[in-house]
Amino acid sequence: MDAREHMTQVVQQPRRFYDGGTLPTGDGPGEPPDPATDPRIVLERHSEEGVETFALARRLAYLDRHLGELLVPARADFRTDLTSVPALFTWLVPKTGAHLPAALLHDALVAGRGDPTSYVSTEGLVVDRVEADRVFRDAMADTGTGVVRRWIVWTAVTVATIVVGRSVPWSRARHWSYRVAAAVTIASIVYLGYSATSDLFDRSWAGAVDVPWMGERPWWAEVAGGFAGAVVLPLALSLLWGRLRTAGAIAGVMLAVLLHVTVGLALIAATYVLLERLARRSSLAAWALAAVVVVGSLVLFAALSLG
């Protein structure tokens, strides 16, 4: 197994992060890194096409266990969105927190679509995306990020690496094997989750199959069986991921366990977006819709209470 991909216990060493000085300018070479000084994260806010991004006014330095000193950013035009987390999951991994220095480091190491990376390796090394994900995981440990959170975040960026596929050290065949494994895992879990929900509510939804680990049992036994299936089946599917089976296991279990929560949050978020767009286009229509919802709720409340 690749040393970059297996699960290891990293001992927290906060001093691996330190002040990286400033970028060279036309007026001089800038301030050099100072390992004796704590990192200073100075953010300058930008809004580009309605998207909030930040520039780093000072560089961040990190002494990696395998790569040596890394300085970010390498250019003044570097932009970051802090921790790149979909809005649905900020309750689990916030945009900022103890993990922020590691997130800024990772952003500079991998860059976004169409953007160049923005780091300096004082050892003259080129950091591929898989190695950048490993650096991210170790750096989170050094910032004091919890074990569970940092492995969840590492899994998320690993899945993104599989999907995006830029600057990876894999052969084309291996890369596609990871993509197929991820697709099969996601499709299987979503379908089995759909079938398990149909079974729980004793309904025969279109295309659903009977799941034997739930069956015709008391509701609490079916819920327990569903949870067990949400753990066991993703672990089995993770074997398809080969050397990345740790990421496959974490991604599969998280998806299976949080499937219904994610769907619920997605519906709430979609409703909010639709209401926001409606309010921007026509405040009168928004107020009319609000009145219909309130009146309908009052009628339903009264009917159920008196009935």
Side-chain angles (χ1 to χ4, degrees), residues 73-122:
R75 303 180 316 280
D77 61 352
F78 170 72
R79 298 291 183 270
T80 174
D81 60 353
L82 306 183
T83 307
S84 303
V85 182
L88 288 178
F89 298 106
T90 51
W91 62 272
L92 182 62
V93 181
K95 298 286 285 185
T96 186
H99 56 282
L100 179 59
L104 297 175
L105 174 65
H106 186 259
D107 264 9
L109 291 176
V110 302
R113 186 179 296 276
D115 296 326
T117 56
S118 187
Y119 68 90
V120 174
S121 166
T122 56

Side-chain angles (χ1 to χ4, degrees), residues 149-260:
R149 176 169 288 174
R150 69 175 180 255
W151 280 95
I152 289 174
V153 174
W154 170 78
T155 296
V157 297
T158 297
V159 172
T161 294
I162 291 172
V163 174
V164 173
R166 295 193 304 274
S167 301
V168 293
W170 307 316
S171 67
R172 186 176 181 84
R174 175 180 287 190
H175 193 176
W176 273 105
S177 73
Y178 289 148
R179 284 175 167 170
V180 170
V184 169
T185 298
I186 294 171
S188 298
I189 290 174
V190 170
Y191 177 64
L192 290 173
Y194 170 78
S195 297
T197 306
S198 172
D199 199 325
L200 179 63
F201 289 105
D202 297 322
R203 294 289 186 269
S204 297
W205 292 349
V209 297
D210 293 331
V211 287
W213 53 91
M214 294 180 66
E216 296 297 329
R217 297 181 176 88
W219 69 267
W220 57 267
E222 291 192 18
V223 170
F227 178 81
V231 174
V232 173
L233 294 175
L235 291 179
L237 289 167
S238 70
L239 298 177
L240 299 173
W241 293 55
R243 294 182 177 182
L244 292 178
R245 55 184 173 273
T246 299
I250 296 173
V253 172
M254 290 294 296
L255 175 60
V257 171
L258 298 178
L259 180 61
H260 297 88

